[in-house]
Amino acid sequence: MTNNLCTEAGYISLNKHGEQLCGDRVEIVDKDDACILVLADGLGSGVKANILSTLTSKIISTMVAGGMPIEECINTIASTLPVCKVRQVAYSTFSVVRILNNTLAELIQFDNPDVIVLRDGQRFQYPVTTRVVSGKTIHESRFPVQENDVFIAMSDGAPFAGVGVEFNYGWQRDNIIDFAEANYHPDNSAKYVAANIVDECNRLYHGEPGDDTTVAVVRIRARQSVNLVIGPPADPANDVKMMNLFFSKEGEKIVCGGTTSNIASRYLGKPIIPTLDYPDPEVPPISKIEGVDLVTEGVVTLSKVLKLGQAFLDGTDTSADWTSKKDGASLIAKELFEKATDINFFVGRAINPAHQNPDLPITFGIKIQLINSLAECLKKMGKRIKVSFF
């Protein structure tokens, strides 16, 4: 790793109205020195398109990740996939975005709408060279990346949105760029940018997409740490040690749980100030301690965060309404899913006497399981996770 940057990728798909399966497919491969995103759009829609795009994206992402030249990738696809009897074409269209060492972008594009690049929130004209490989016209680009560069790849369902309804010719590329620029914010995650554009496509389709619509986004961003502590240490003598380590870390600080908040309050010599706001009746209210970014209740709040994380990963949650909500779980979700690239969990092993109440069978095991599930969920989002037990 040559700099303090990292590459984040996310996508959202809408199925064509009436179809159970999506004919578009996105594959993301994260390696130590590269992030590779492939968006394939299978011919037609439904089962056949789904198979074509799945094979195409799998083959290309695997071969590109293995360092194979693009000629070999295309020849492999052409010889692997079945040929359409009517149109005499063998496979799906595709866009490849490969970021090397968070410093260099490589784009390989075949017949998908051109990848849009925003630099400092404005459209960026990147260099393109064209060549013919196995009878296919391929567009290739190579250029250095900068912090906050955003790459937006899409299937043709996006520019097709609103054809004959809202617009004569659909939502043109320039309109999509205007929309992306108008909604740009350097803190918006890749997934959020993708969801925002897909949401607008769905609106233009009046909720009945005329084609599979996928937007996949890659974003270059600075690394950012978030630290979360939950539960008192098994041995109270380790309270200060745990707090020393927690507060010495760079980045945002989140304290979860009543007992843990008391330990943090004593350590900092600052009072806990409760808030009685209940923005969500299912989530206990947050508190405030000077020197801590966020203070919440423990297990109930984190269980809700895990649920939000699973919906976020499924790619089904286009609204992601937690981004604007103010309850403890939504605020933690925003920190962990949107802001953080590196997350440190500090987990106390003490068994909470409050949880010995038979009406509240929240055992120590459930807390550990919850943290492990949340850590797994965040790893799938591409976060770096470290869990320390006390």
Side-chain angles (χ1 to χ4, degrees), residues 167-199:
F167 308 107
N168 288 339
Y169 302 107
W171 200 28
Q172 299 286 294
R173 177 185 162 82
D174 277 345
N175 308 132
I176 297 175
I177 295 174
D178 290 342
F179 179 84
E181 287 178 344
N183 288 279
Y184 172 80
H185 189 281
D187 288 344
N188 288 347
S189 70
K191 183 85 169 233
Y192 182 86
V193 175
N196 215 11
I197 295 171
V198 167
D199 233 16

PDB file of all heavy atoms in Angstrom, residues 167-199:
ATOM      1  N   PHE A 167     -39.019  11.164 -21.359  1.00  0.00           N
ATOM      2  CA  PHE A 167     -38.150  11.741 -22.397  1.00  0.00           C
ATOM      3  C   PHE A 167     -38.388  11.014 -23.709  1.00  0.00           C
ATOM      4  O   PHE A 167     -38.758   9.853 -23.717  1.00  0.00           O
ATOM      5  CB  PHE A 167     -36.655  11.545 -22.045  1.00  0.00           C
ATOM      6  CG  PHE A 167     -36.265  12.003 -20.679  1.00  0.00           C
ATOM      7  CD1 PHE A 167     -35.987  11.087 -19.679  1.00  0.00           C
ATOM      8  CD2 PHE A 167     -36.157  13.357 -20.390  1.00  0.00           C
ATOM      9  CE1 PHE A 167     -35.609  11.500 -18.408  1.00  0.00           C
ATOM     10  CE2 PHE A 167     -35.780  13.775 -19.125  1.00  0.00           C
ATOM     11  CZ  PHE A 167     -35.516  12.858 -18.139  1.00  0.00           C
ATOM     12  N   ASN A 168     -38.067  11.689 -24.826  1.00  0.00           N
ATOM     13  CA  ASN A 168     -38.154  11.012 -26.122  1.00  0.00           C
ATOM     14  C   ASN A 168     -37.107   9.916 -26.249  1.00  0.00           C
ATOM     15  O   ASN A 168     -37.360   8.845 -26.776  1.00  0.00           O
ATOM     16  CB  ASN A 168     -37.959  12.010 -27.281  1.00  0.00           C
ATOM     17  CG  ASN A 168     -39.173  12.915 -27.414  1.00  0.00           C
ATOM     18  OD1 ASN A 168     -40.250  12.572 -26.950  1.00  0.00           O
ATOM     19  ND2 ASN A 168     -38.976  14.063 -28.039  1.00  0.00           N
ATOM     20  N   TYR A 169     -35.875  10.239 -25.782  1.00  0.00           N
ATOM     21  CA  TYR A 169     -34.772   9.305 -26.008  1.00  0.00           C
ATOM     22  C   TYR A 169     -34.222   8.716 -24.718  1.00  0.00           C
ATOM     23  O   TYR A 169     -33.077   8.302 -24.659  1.00  0.00           O
ATOM     24  CB  TYR A 169     -33.633  10.023 -26.758  1.00  0.00           C
ATOM     25  CG  TYR A 169     -34.094  10.598 -28.071  1.00  0.00           C
ATOM     26  CD1 TYR A 169     -34.267  11.972 -28.215  1.00  0.00           C
ATOM     27  CD2 TYR A 169     -34.382   9.768 -29.147  1.00  0.00           C
ATOM     28  CE1 TYR A 169     -34.714  12.508 -29.419  1.00  0.00           C
ATOM     29  CE2 TYR A 169     -34.826  10.293 -30.356  1.00  0.00           C
ATOM     30  CZ  TYR A 169     -34.997  11.657 -30.494  1.00  0.00           C
ATOM     31  OH  TYR A 169     -35.431  12.178 -31.674  1.00  0.00           O
ATOM     32  N   GLY A 170     -34.997   8.724 -23.652  1.00  0.00           N
ATOM     33  CA  GLY A 170     -34.492   8.162 -22.394  1.00  0.00           C
ATOM     34  C   GLY A 170     -33.677   9.189 -21.615  1.00  0.00           C
ATOM     35  O   GLY A 170     -33.598  10.370 -21.959  1.00  0.00           O
ATOM     36  N   TRP A 171     -33.054   8.680 -20.550  1.00  0.00           N
ATOM     37  CA  TRP A 171     -32.276   9.541 -19.643  1.00  0.00           C
ATOM     38  C   TRP A 171     -30.851   9.572 -20.173  1.00  0.00           C
ATOM     39  O   TRP A 171     -30.046   8.711 -19.842  1.00  0.00           O
ATOM     40  CB  TRP A 171     -32.340   8.938 -18.235  1.00  0.00           C
ATOM     41  CG  TRP A 171     -32.030   9.894 -17.144  1.00  0.00           C
ATOM     42  CD1 TRP A 171     -32.208  11.234 -17.145  1.00  0.00           C
ATOM     43  CD2 TRP A 171     -31.474   9.565 -15.859  1.00  0.00           C
ATOM     44  NE1 TRP A 171     -31.817  11.780 -15.944  1.00  0.00           N
ATOM     45  CE2 TRP A 171     -31.359  10.774 -15.139  1.00  0.00           C
ATOM     46  CE3 TRP A 171     -31.074   8.385 -15.242  1.00  0.00           C
ATOM     47  CZ2 TRP A 171     -30.852  10.828 -13.840  1.00  0.00           C
ATOM     48  CZ3 TRP A 171     -30.582   8.432 -13.949  1.00  0.00           C
ATOM     49  CH2 TRP A 171     -30.472   9.643 -13.260  1.00  0.00           C
ATOM     50  N   GLN A 172     -30.547  10.550 -21.027  1.00  0.00           N
ATOM     51  CA  GLN A 172     -29.268  10.578 -21.734  1.00  0.00           C
ATOM     52  C   GLN A 172     -28.080  10.662 -20.770  1.00  0.00           C
ATOM     53  O   GLN A 172     -28.202  11.150 -19.653  1.00  0.00           O
ATOM     54  CB  GLN A 172     -29.243  11.769 -22.689  1.00  0.00           C
ATOM     55  CG  GLN A 172     -30.331  11.710 -23.749  1.00  0.00           C
ATOM     56  CD  GLN A 172     -30.039  10.677 -24.833  1.00  0.00           C
ATOM     57  OE1 GLN A 172     -29.101  10.813 -25.577  1.00  0.00           O
ATOM     58  NE2 GLN A 172     -30.850   9.627 -24.897  1.00  0.00           N
ATOM     59  N   ARG A 173     -26.918  10.232 -21.294  1.00  0.00           N
ATOM     60  CA  ARG A 173     -25.682  10.225 -20.500  1.00  0.00           C
ATOM     61  C   ARG A 173     -25.420  11.586 -19.847  1.00  0.00           C
ATOM     62  O   ARG A 173     -25.070  11.668 -18.662  1.00  0.00           O
ATOM     63  CB  ARG A 173     -24.516   9.829 -21.412  1.00  0.00           C
ATOM     64  CG  ARG A 173     -23.159   9.859 -20.745  1.00  0.00           C
ATOM     65  CD  ARG A 173     -22.058   9.580 -21.762  1.00  0.00           C
ATOM     66  NE  ARG A 173     -20.765  10.017 -21.261  1.00  0.00           N
ATOM     67  CZ  ARG A 173     -20.004   9.331 -20.443  1.00  0.00           C
ATOM     68  NH1 ARG A 173     -20.391   8.162 -20.003  1.00  0.00           N
ATOM     69  NH2 ARG A 173     -18.837   9.809 -20.042  1.00  0.00           N
ATOM     70  N   ASP A 174     -25.619  12.676 -20.627  1.00  0.00           N
ATOM     71  CA  ASP A 174     -25.384  14.018 -20.068  1.00  0.00           C
ATOM     72  C   ASP A 174     -26.322  14.314 -18.899  1.00  0.00           C
ATOM     73  O   ASP A 174     -25.935  14.965 -17.936  1.00  0.00           O
ATOM     74  CB  ASP A 174     -25.549  15.101 -21.151  1.00  0.00           C
ATOM     75  CG  ASP A 174     -24.271  15.254 -21.971  1.00  0.00           C
ATOM     76  OD1 ASP A 174     -23.225  14.741 -21.517  1.00  0.00           O
ATOM     77  OD2 ASP A 174     -24.324  15.871 -23.049  1.00  0.00           O
ATOM     78  N   ASN A 175     -27.583  13.837 -19.011  1.00  0.00           N
ATOM     79  CA  ASN A 175     -28.541  14.035 -17.915  1.00  0.00           C
ATOM     80  C   ASN A 175     -28.093  13.271 -16.671  1.00  0.00           C
ATOM     81  O   ASN A 175     -28.221  13.748 -15.546  1.00  0.00           O
ATOM     82  CB  ASN A 175     -29.952  13.553 -18.291  1.00  0.00           C
ATOM     83  CG  ASN A 175     -30.467  14.134 -19.604  1.00  0.00           C
ATOM     84  OD1 ASN A 175     -30.969  13.407 -20.443  1.00  0.00           O
ATOM     85  ND2 ASN A 175     -30.318  15.441 -19.781  1.00  0.00           N
ATOM     86  N   ILE A 176     -27.589  12.060 -16.898  1.00  0.00           N
ATOM     87  CA  ILE A 176     -27.140  11.227 -15.768  1.00  0.00           C
ATOM     88  C   ILE A 176     -25.934  11.895 -15.094  1.00  0.00           C
ATOM     89  O   ILE A 176     -25.843  11.947 -13.867  1.00  0.00           O
ATOM     90  CB  ILE A 176     -26.803   9.789 -16.224  1.00  0.00           C
ATOM     91  CG1 ILE A 176     -28.066   9.111 -16.775  1.00  0.00           C
ATOM     92  CG2 ILE A 176     -26.224   8.963 -15.067  1.00  0.00           C
ATOM     93  CD1 ILE A 176     -27.846   7.733 -17.376  1.00  0.00           C
ATOM     94  N   ILE A 177     -25.017  12.440 -15.919  1.00  0.00           N
ATOM     95  CA  ILE A 177     -23.847  13.129 -15.350  1.00  0.00           C
ATOM     96  C   ILE A 177     -24.306  14.352 -14.545  1.00  0.00           C
ATOM     97  O   ILE A 177     -23.835  14.575 -13.421  1.00  0.00           O
ATOM     98  CB  ILE A 177     -22.843  13.553 -16.454  1.00  0.00           C
ATOM     99  CG1 ILE A 177     -22.255  12.306 -17.126  1.00  0.00           C
ATOM    100  CG2 ILE A 177     -21.713  14.398 -15.864  1.00  0.00           C
ATOM    101  CD1 ILE A 177     -21.367  12.594 -18.334  1.00  0.00           C
ATOM    102  N   ASP A 178     -25.254  15.134 -15.106  1.00  0.00           N
ATOM    103  CA  ASP A 178     -25.774  16.310 -14.379  1.00  0.00           C
ATOM    104  C   ASP A 178     -26.349  15.883 -13.027  1.00  0.00           C
ATOM    105  O   ASP A 178     -26.124  16.537 -12.003  1.00  0.00           O
ATOM    106  CB  ASP A 178     -26.889  17.011 -15.180  1.00  0.00           C
ATOM    107  CG  ASP A 178     -26.345  17.712 -16.426  1.00  0.00           C
ATOM    108  OD1 ASP A 178     -25.119  17.947 -16.479  1.00  0.00           O
ATOM    109  OD2 ASP A 178     -27.153  18.006 -17.327  1.00  0.00           O
ATOM    110  N   PHE A 179     -27.098  14.782 -13.029  1.00  0.00           N
ATOM    111  CA  PHE A 179     -27.726  14.275 -11.804  1.00  0.00           C
ATOM    112  C   PHE A 179     -26.649  13.858 -10.796  1.00  0.00           C
ATOM    113  O   PHE A 179     -26.726  14.187  -9.604  1.00  0.00           O
ATOM    114  CB  PHE A 179     -28.628  13.084 -12.145  1.00  0.00           C
ATOM    115  CG  PHE A 179     -29.317  12.468 -10.958  1.00  0.00           C
ATOM    116  CD1 PHE A 179     -30.505  12.988 -10.471  1.00  0.00           C
ATOM    117  CD2 PHE A 179     -28.774  11.353 -10.312  1.00  0.00           C
ATOM    118  CE1 PHE A 179     -31.140  12.418  -9.366  1.00  0.00           C
ATOM    119  CE2 PHE A 179     -29.395  10.783  -9.208  1.00  0.00           C
ATOM    120  CZ  PHE A 179     -30.581  11.324  -8.742  1.00  0.00           C
ATOM    121  N   ALA A 180     -25.616  13.133 -11.287  1.00  0.00           N
ATOM    122  CA  ALA A 180     -24.537  12.663 -10.397  1.00  0.00           C
ATOM    123  C   ALA A 180     -23.768  13.851  -9.815  1.00  0.00           C
ATOM    124  O   ALA A 180     -23.410  13.852  -8.631  1.00  0.00           O
ATOM    125  CB  ALA A 180     -23.597  11.734 -11.157  1.00  0.00           C
ATOM    126  N   GLU A 181     -23.530  14.885 -10.634  1.00  0.00           N
ATOM    127  CA  GLU A 181     -22.819  16.081 -10.151  1.00  0.00           C
ATOM    128  C   GLU A 181     -23.661  16.813  -9.104  1.00  0.00           C
ATOM    129  O   GLU A 181     -23.150  17.232  -8.058  1.00  0.00           O
ATOM    130  CB  GLU A 181     -22.525  17.039 -11.321  1.00  0.00           C
ATOM    131  CG  GLU A 181     -21.435  16.564 -12.241  1.00  0.00           C
ATOM    132  CD  GLU A 181     -21.204  17.512 -13.425  1.00  0.00           C
ATOM    133  OE1 GLU A 181     -22.076  18.367 -13.699  1.00  0.00           O
ATOM    134  OE2 GLU A 181     -20.166  17.384 -14.075  1.00  0.00           O
ATOM    135  N   ALA A 182     -24.958  16.947  -9.385  1.00  0.00           N
ATOM    136  CA  ALA A 182     -25.845  17.691  -8.478  1.00  0.00           C
ATOM    137  C   ALA A 182     -25.984  16.993  -7.134  1.00  0.00           C
ATOM    138  O   ALA A 182     -26.178  17.642  -6.096  1.00  0.00           O
ATOM    139  CB  ALA A 182     -27.229  17.858  -9.124  1.00  0.00           C
ATOM    140  N   ASN A 183     -25.873  15.657  -7.130  1.00  0.00           N
ATOM    141  CA  ASN A 183     -26.046  14.891  -5.888  1.00  0.00           C
ATOM    142  C   ASN A 183     -24.718  14.469  -5.268  1.00  0.00           C
ATOM    143  O   ASN A 183     -24.692  13.681  -4.327  1.00  0.00           O
ATOM    144  CB  ASN A 183     -26.901  13.647  -6.154  1.00  0.00           C
ATOM    145  CG  ASN A 183     -28.351  14.004  -6.405  1.00  0.00           C
ATOM    146  OD1 ASN A 183     -29.103  14.228  -5.464  1.00  0.00           O
ATOM    147  ND2 ASN A 183     -28.737  14.108  -7.667  1.00  0.00           N
ATOM    148  N   TYR A 184     -23.617  14.993  -5.810  1.00  0.00           N
ATOM    149  CA  TYR A 184     -22.294  14.578  -5.319  1.00  0.00           C
ATOM    150  C   TYR A 184     -22.010  15.148  -3.932  1.00  0.00           C
ATOM    151  O   TYR A 184     -22.281  16.304  -3.644  1.00  0.00           O
ATOM    152  CB  TYR A 184     -21.205  15.069  -6.286  1.00  0.00           C
ATOM    153  CG  TYR A 184     -19.801  14.848  -5.749  1.00  0.00           C
ATOM    154  CD1 TYR A 184     -19.188  13.599  -5.827  1.00  0.00           C
ATOM    155  CD2 TYR A 184     -19.096  15.885  -5.130  1.00  0.00           C
ATOM    156  CE1 TYR A 184     -17.910  13.387  -5.320  1.00  0.00           C
ATOM    157  CE2 TYR A 184     -17.813  15.683  -4.619  1.00  0.00           C
ATOM    158  CZ  TYR A 184     -17.238  14.436  -4.713  1.00  0.00           C
ATOM    159  OH  TYR A 184     -15.984  14.221  -4.200  1.00  0.00           O
ATOM    160  N   HIS A 185     -21.473  14.292  -3.080  1.00  0.00           N
ATOM    161  CA  HIS A 185     -20.911  14.744  -1.808  1.00  0.00           C
ATOM    162  C   HIS A 185     -19.719  13.828  -1.537  1.00  0.00           C
ATOM    163  O   HIS A 185     -19.840  12.601  -1.678  1.00  0.00           O
ATOM    164  CB  HIS A 185     -21.931  14.633  -0.666  1.00  0.00           C
ATOM    165  CG  HIS A 185     -21.448  15.288   0.592  1.00  0.00           C
ATOM    166  ND1 HIS A 185     -20.548  14.678   1.431  1.00  0.00           N
ATOM    167  CD2 HIS A 185     -21.691  16.512   1.117  1.00  0.00           C
ATOM    168  CE1 HIS A 185     -20.264  15.502   2.438  1.00  0.00           C
ATOM    169  NE2 HIS A 185     -20.950  16.619   2.265  1.00  0.00           N
ATOM    170  N   PRO A 186     -18.545  14.385  -1.146  1.00  0.00           N
ATOM    171  CA  PRO A 186     -17.366  13.529  -0.996  1.00  0.00           C
ATOM    172  C   PRO A 186     -17.543  12.390   0.007  1.00  0.00           C
ATOM    173  O   PRO A 186     -16.831  11.388  -0.070  1.00  0.00           O
ATOM    174  CB  PRO A 186     -16.262  14.499  -0.541  1.00  0.00           C
ATOM    175  CG  PRO A 186     -16.946  15.780  -0.187  1.00  0.00           C
ATOM    176  CD  PRO A 186     -18.235  15.806  -0.927  1.00  0.00           C
ATOM    177  N   ASP A 187     -18.501  12.516   0.944  1.00  0.00           N
ATOM    178  CA  ASP A 187     -18.693  11.453   1.935  1.00  0.00           C
ATOM    179  C   ASP A 187     -19.646  10.353   1.463  1.00  0.00           C
ATOM    180  O   ASP A 187     -19.809   9.347   2.145  1.00  0.00           O
ATOM    181  CB  ASP A 187     -19.234  12.025   3.254  1.00  0.00           C
ATOM    182  CG  ASP A 187     -18.166  12.812   4.005  1.00  0.00           C
ATOM    183  OD1 ASP A 187     -16.979  12.656   3.655  1.00  0.00           O
ATOM    184  OD2 ASP A 187     -18.523  13.594   4.904  1.00  0.00           O
ATOM    185  N   ASN A 188     -20.336  10.544   0.331  1.00  0.00           N
ATOM    186  CA  ASN A 188     -21.292   9.524  -0.120  1.00  0.00           C
ATOM    187  C   ASN A 188     -20.562   8.240  -0.504  1.00  0.00           C
ATOM    188  O   ASN A 188     -19.618   8.271  -1.290  1.00  0.00           O
ATOM    189  CB  ASN A 188     -22.100  10.022  -1.320  1.00  0.00           C
ATOM    190  CG  ASN A 188     -23.118  11.085  -0.932  1.00  0.00           C
ATOM    191  OD1 ASN A 188     -23.385  11.289   0.255  1.00  0.00           O
ATOM    192  ND2 ASN A 188     -23.675  11.757  -1.905  1.00  0.00           N
ATOM    193  N   SER A 189     -21.013   7.116   0.057  1.00  0.00           N
ATOM    194  CA  SER A 189     -20.362   5.840  -0.246  1.00  0.00           C
ATOM    195  C   SER A 189     -20.695   5.424  -1.677  1.00  0.00           C
ATOM    196  O   SER A 189     -21.644   5.917  -2.285  1.00  0.00           O
ATOM    197  CB  SER A 189     -20.834   4.762   0.726  1.00  0.00           C
ATOM    198  OG  SER A 189     -22.189   4.448   0.463  1.00  0.00           O
ATOM    199  N   ALA A 190     -19.916   4.462  -2.200  1.00  0.00           N
ATOM    200  CA  ALA A 190     -20.145   3.944  -3.554  1.00  0.00           C
ATOM    201  C   ALA A 190     -21.567   3.396  -3.673  1.00  0.00           C
ATOM    202  O   ALA A 190     -22.285   3.659  -4.639  1.00  0.00           O
ATOM    203  CB  ALA A 190     -19.113   2.850  -3.859  1.00  0.00           C
ATOM    204  N   LYS A 191     -21.975   2.656  -2.651  1.00  0.00           N
ATOM    205  CA  LYS A 191     -23.307   2.037  -2.671  1.00  0.00           C
ATOM    206  C   LYS A 191     -24.396   3.116  -2.689  1.00  0.00           C
ATOM    207  O   LYS A 191     -25.407   3.000  -3.383  1.00  0.00           O
ATOM    208  CB  LYS A 191     -23.437   1.170  -1.412  1.00  0.00           C
ATOM    209  CG  LYS A 191     -24.720   0.384  -1.292  1.00  0.00           C
ATOM    210  CD  LYS A 191     -24.620  -0.925  -2.036  1.00  0.00           C
ATOM    211  CE  LYS A 191     -25.767  -1.828  -1.704  1.00  0.00           C
ATOM    212  NZ  LYS A 191     -25.401  -3.133  -1.279  1.00  0.00           N
ATOM    213  N   TYR A 192     -24.174   4.180  -1.914  1.00  0.00           N
ATOM    214  CA  TYR A 192     -25.160   5.270  -1.830  1.00  0.00           C
ATOM    215  C   TYR A 192     -25.307   5.961  -3.186  1.00  0.00           C
ATOM    216  O   TYR A 192     -26.415   6.256  -3.632  1.00  0.00           O
ATOM    217  CB  TYR A 192     -24.731   6.267  -0.751  1.00  0.00           C
ATOM    218  CG  TYR A 192     -25.711   7.409  -0.547  1.00  0.00           C
ATOM    219  CD1 TYR A 192     -26.801   7.257   0.307  1.00  0.00           C
ATOM    220  CD2 TYR A 192     -25.553   8.623  -1.208  1.00  0.00           C
ATOM    221  CE1 TYR A 192     -27.704   8.291   0.496  1.00  0.00           C
ATOM    222  CE2 TYR A 192     -26.451   9.665  -1.022  1.00  0.00           C
ATOM    223  CZ  TYR A 192     -27.533   9.496  -0.167  1.00  0.00           C
ATOM    224  OH  TYR A 192     -28.439  10.511   0.005  1.00  0.00           O
ATOM    225  N   VAL A 193     -24.171   6.213  -3.861  1.00  0.00           N
ATOM    226  CA  VAL A 193     -24.202   6.862  -5.181  1.00  0.00           C
ATOM    227  C   VAL A 193     -24.986   5.993  -6.166  1.00  0.00           C
ATOM    228  O   VAL A 193     -25.843   6.475  -6.916  1.00  0.00           O
ATOM    229  CB  VAL A 193     -22.763   7.107  -5.707  1.00  0.00           C
ATOM    230  CG1 VAL A 193     -22.781   7.675  -7.119  1.00  0.00           C
ATOM    231  CG2 VAL A 193     -22.003   8.060  -4.774  1.00  0.00           C
ATOM    232  N   ALA A 194     -24.705   4.668  -6.139  1.00  0.00           N
ATOM    233  CA  ALA A 194     -25.394   3.735  -7.037  1.00  0.00           C
ATOM    234  C   ALA A 194     -26.897   3.716  -6.751  1.00  0.00           C
ATOM    235  O   ALA A 194     -27.719   3.803  -7.668  1.00  0.00           O
ATOM    236  CB  ALA A 194     -24.807   2.329  -6.875  1.00  0.00           C
ATOM    237  N   ALA A 195     -27.249   3.651  -5.472  1.00  0.00           N
ATOM    238  CA  ALA A 195     -28.667   3.594  -5.079  1.00  0.00           C
ATOM    239  C   ALA A 195     -29.408   4.853  -5.515  1.00  0.00           C
ATOM    240  O   ALA A 195     -30.554   4.797  -5.967  1.00  0.00           O
ATOM    241  CB  ALA A 195     -28.780   3.402  -3.565  1.00  0.00           C
ATOM    242  N   ASN A 196     -28.741   5.983  -5.393  1.00  0.00           N
ATOM    243  CA  ASN A 196     -29.345   7.267  -5.739  1.00  0.00           C
ATOM    244  C   ASN A 196     -29.720   7.317  -7.221  1.00  0.00           C
ATOM    245  O   ASN A 196     -30.820   7.745  -7.595  1.00  0.00           O
ATOM    246  CB  ASN A 196     -28.317   8.365  -5.426  1.00  0.00           C
ATOM    247  CG  ASN A 196     -28.967   9.627  -4.935  1.00  0.00           C
ATOM    248  OD1 ASN A 196     -30.147   9.654  -4.628  1.00  0.00           O
ATOM    249  ND2 ASN A 196     -28.200  10.695  -4.889  1.00  0.00           N
ATOM    250  N   ILE A 197     -28.801   6.843  -8.088  1.00  0.00           N
ATOM    251  CA  ILE A 197     -29.051   6.872  -9.533  1.00  0.00           C
ATOM    252  C   ILE A 197     -30.121   5.840  -9.902  1.00  0.00           C
ATOM    253  O   ILE A 197     -31.030   6.121 -10.687  1.00  0.00           O
ATOM    254  CB  ILE A 197     -27.736   6.622 -10.318  1.00  0.00           C
ATOM    255  CG1 ILE A 197     -26.751   7.778 -10.054  1.00  0.00           C
ATOM    256  CG2 ILE A 197     -28.004   6.488 -11.812  1.00  0.00           C
ATOM    257  CD1 ILE A 197     -25.347   7.555 -10.596  1.00  0.00           C
ATOM    258  N   VAL A 198     -30.040   4.637  -9.305  1.00  0.00           N
ATOM    259  CA  VAL A 198     -31.027   3.590  -9.609  1.00  0.00           C
ATOM    260  C   VAL A 198     -32.424   4.016  -9.160  1.00  0.00           C
ATOM    261  O   VAL A 198     -33.420   3.763  -9.844  1.00  0.00           O
ATOM    262  CB  VAL A 198     -30.606   2.242  -8.963  1.00  0.00           C
ATOM    263  CG1 VAL A 198     -31.748   1.242  -8.989  1.00  0.00           C
ATOM    264  CG2 VAL A 198     -29.408   1.667  -9.696  1.00  0.00           C
ATOM    265  N   ASP A 199     -32.484   4.684  -8.014  1.00  0.00           N
ATOM    266  CA  ASP A 199     -33.758   5.209  -7.508  1.00  0.00           C
ATOM    267  C   ASP A 199     -34.398   6.165  -8.512  1.00  0.00           C
ATOM    268  O   ASP A 199     -35.606   6.124  -8.752  1.00  0.00           O
ATOM    269  CB  ASP A 199     -33.482   5.988  -6.203  1.00  0.00           C
ATOM    270  CG  ASP A 199     -34.352   5.503  -5.079  1.00  0.00           C
ATOM    271  OD1 ASP A 199     -34.919   4.409  -5.199  1.00  0.00           O
ATOM    272  OD2 ASP A 199     -34.472   6.237  -4.082  1.00  0.00           O
TER     273      ASP A 199
END
